[in-house]
Amino acid sequence: MASTSDMETTNPGSIWELDKDLDVPMDEEASRLKNMYIEKKFSSVLLLRLAFQSLGVVFGDLGTSPLYVFYNIFPHGVDNDEDVIGALSLIIYTLTLIPLMKYVFVVLRANDNGQGGTFALYSLLCRHAKVSTIPNQHKTDEELTTYSRQTYEENSLAAKVKRWLEGHAYKKNCLLILVLIGTCTAIGDGILTPAISVLSATGGIRVQNPKMSTDVVVIVAVTILIGLFSMQHYGTDKVGWLFAPLVFLWFILIGSVGAFNIHKYNSSVLKAYNPVYIYRFLRRAKSEIWTSLGGVMLSITAGTEALFADLCHFPVLAIQIAFTLVVFPCLLLAYTGQAAYIIVHKDHVVDAFYRSIPDAIYWPAFVIATLAAIVASQATISATYSIIKQALALGCFPRVSVVHTSKKFLGQIYIPDINWVLMILCIAVTAGFKNQIQIGNAYGTAVVIVMLVTTFLMVPIMLLVWKSHWILVVTFLVLSLMVEFPYFIACINKVDEGGWVPLAVAITFFIIMYVWHFCTVKRYEFEMHSKVSMAWILGLGPSLGLVRVPGIGFVYTELASGVPHIFSHFITNLPAIHSVVVFVCVKYLPVYTVPVEERFVMKRIGPKNFHMFRCVTRYGYKDIHKKHDDFEKMLLDRLLIFVRLESMMDGY
């Protein structure tokens, strides 16, 4: 009896040991993969060329802001010169503190191997702390070339923050919710940017034709928007070479017109560079302070966040050069010139940009402005596609068809379903509001929320990734919130005047994304708890209790280890199975890319005469995963290489 009892108590352990021996994680297989990644180096000439090209992709939206900013600051007209100078001073220092100081010199450094955006920050955090809500990663994934992470001393501040984040599930969920909020409001920018940019640009038609109805301008804007969204399936690579020269010409135009207006109308506006006028302006504004702040907010719009979100196309230094040498000085000249013109022509504040253009170049400037608005819209639409793809890769969005429009540039994608949803919503916003004021209110609300999310995510990034001193972290947080929080209050006060639009869009997408992610996590947990024991598989024998027919069968599963529960149903209800069975797991990691040489990890399951293998295919959130013949061929090639190497090792 004692021996029987001993056997009963040791049998579970024996089965566990059997599973452990026959289906261990692929540490050894992963370590054999070679590191083939080579960091890109840029020469000075190439860096300048990339800086020039970045103008067309990154700064289109930021550059079109002068079309509508002053109108949104003074929707009820201008009372005196001091108000214009104070508003200009507020614009100057907002541009200096947020785009220049915060984003160009701080946030751009928080990139994920050259990738920017909210999900890039989240991926960094997932690598440096176990905050991912889908527990499908293994320590072998940390050996990837692109899986860079830090190590911490036991009692360091970073280690304490790491343990605090990993301590409870609700903290991980709060972090995910924060990321999804930023993502959903960024999607709202994809609707509002085309609406306000194109409508503001086409509004120049009425300047030369005052009797023209507003409906005509709206119809022209809607027509342009329909054409813009209808052309998305062609991709941007065919016309992308036009973007940089066009936007560069736009910045030269607004900078030159601004300098001309300063000289011609009122050079005294230059005293706005004294920040004292900000205090005077805010003190006089009183009841109109939130309206004015909401208008000033549009001077940094989504183009500021695009500095970070579109980082994947260019190195950090190229964007910094382009902004500091071209974008920033031209924007300062443009706003200063408009202020000089408005001081002399206070009744022209509604369309100050077009009114301030000399008659000799008016229509060429109108054409360039319209094209620049289209470029700005295109950049935001493309960024929305990338955001959706990242969310899809991390299990936060329903599976939609992703079309790759360029063989050379992997980042250029097109999502048909999202494209038509964006077009319908964008046209509805344009035709429904019909004016820049309400669209501007909605636009500012979406932008400031994304900025606040980036600010809060930067705190753990600075602590965990950069290992910054807590004083620097607190300084960054306080300075950022001192500027952004008043703008947030100003935009929230305009919820009933159009600001509800991005909130409604964000809430809708948030519900979709969070529910989908929740179901994804629950499905993975179910798969983990119901997986089949290897002891049961071995009990079936080499034939698995079935007829083994020639061929290779792929069984797709969410599990990176273990046999999925569906396989037991498969062999129970079917009379035959392929002579070779491969369990294929496709999983996404919190890295921007997985080198092709390190993508497939193969391992044999059970004895050789079972002819069963496991293949874990790893992707980053920027990688392409196409389920067609190329993927199957690559998988078979890796399997063949694995079997050959295994035979060679057996020979030795």
Side-chain angles (χ1 to χ4, degrees), residues 30 116 165 169 178 193 196 212 246-247 285 293 319 325 337 358 378 387 407 428 439 443 470 485 489 504 524 563 634:
L165 285 174
L178 182 65
T193 297
I196 192 169
M212 182 178 292
L246 179 62
V247 176
L293 286 177
I319 294 180
L325 297 184
Q378 176 62 60
I387 290 171
K407 294 181 179 179
I439 299 179
Y443 199 22
W470 67 269
F485 195 68
I489 297 176
Y524 182 80
V563 178
M634 291 175 65

Side-chain angles (χ1 to χ4, degrees), residues 67 136 147 159 240 276 315 411 413 506 540 563 594 606:
L67 288 168
N136 65 343
Y147 202 103
V276 172
I413 59 175
L540 299 175
V563 178
V594 176

Side-chain angles (χ1 to χ4, degrees), residues 3 13 16 90 92 140 166 176 185 290 428 453 465 573 600 615 623:
S3 61
W16 182 84
L90 197 54
I92 291 171
T140 55
E166 297 173 350
L176 176 65
T185 49
W290 301 121
V453 169
V465 182
N573 294 283
F600 295 91
C615 175
D623 287 330

Side-chain angles (χ1 to χ4, degrees), residues 2-238:
S3 61
T4 305
S5 176
D6 292 340
M7 288 180 63
E8 288 176 354
T9 56
T10 56
N11 274 342
S14 300
I15 294 175
W16 182 84
E17 290 292 338
L18 185 63
D19 283 342
K20 182 180 177 183
D21 293 337
L22 295 178
D23 196 24
V24 296
M26 306 186 202
D27 298 12
E28 183 180 354
E29 289 76 11
S31 64
R32 294 175 186 169
L33 299 175
K34 301 298 183 182
N35 181 353
M36 302 294 292
Y37 181 78
I38 301 175
E39 186 178 357
K40 293 182 180 180
K41 302 293 184 181
F42 300 97
S43 64
S44 300
V45 176
L46 179 58
L47 199 61
L48 291 176
R49 192 178 79 178
L50 290 172
F52 175 74
Q53 291 176 348
S54 70
L55 293 173
V57 177
V58 179
F59 300 108
D61 184 31
L62 195 62
T64 55
S65 297
L67 288 168
Y68 45 78
V69 167
F70 274 107
Y71 176 37
N72 283 271
I73 296 176
F74 302 109
H76 307 298
V78 179
D79 295 329
N80 56 64
D81 298 351
E82 292 291 321
D83 288 341
V84 179
I85 295 175
L88 174 61
S89 184
L90 197 54
I91 292 173
I92 291 171
Y93 285 97
T94 299
L95 283 170
T96 303
L97 294 174
I98 301 298
L100 183 64
M101 303 301 295
K102 176 187 172 182
Y103 278 88
V104 172
F105 291 113
V106 179
V107 176
L108 284 188
R109 293 181 56 236
N111 62 84
D112 183 13
N113 290 281
Q115 304 296 316
T118 306
F119 269 108
L121 295 178
Y122 184 62
S123 298
L124 277 174
L125 291 176
C126 287
R127 294 208 301 272
H128 290 80
K130 295 178 181 179
V131 294
S132 177
T133 53
I134 302 180
N136 65 343
Q137 297 176 37
H138 190 262
K139 63 181 181 180
T140 55
D141 299 330
E142 300 174 9
E143 299 175 3
L144 286 171
T145 304
T146 52
Y147 202 103
S148 58
R149 58 181 301 175
Q150 302 283 349
T151 56
Y152 311 108
E153 296 180 2
E154 182 67 22
N155 296 321
S156 64
L157 177 60
K160 294 178 181 178
V161 172
K162 180 176 182 292
R163 288 194 295 269
W164 183 82
L165 285 174
E166 297 173 350
H168 298 88
Y170 78 88
K171 297 174 184 176
K172 301 177 183 179
N173 287 326
C174 289
L175 183 62
L176 176 65
I177 289 172
L178 182 65
V179 171
L180 292 182
I181 289 173
T183 301
C184 294
T185 49
I187 293 174
D189 291 340
I191 299 169
L192 298 171
T193 297
I196 192 169
S197 298
V198 174
L199 186 61
S200 300
T202 54
I205 302 175
R206 295 187 63 195
V207 176
Q208 296 292 333
N209 302 278
K211 296 182 180 180
M212 182 178 292
S213 172
T214 304
D215 294 335
V216 176
V217 178
V218 173
I219 291 173
V220 173
V222 169
T223 303
I224 293 175
L225 290 172
I226 292 175
L228 176 63
F229 282 100
S230 299
M231 298 292 289
Q232 290 300 311
H233 67 281
Y234 290 109
T236 58
D237 60 316
K238 296 180 177 62

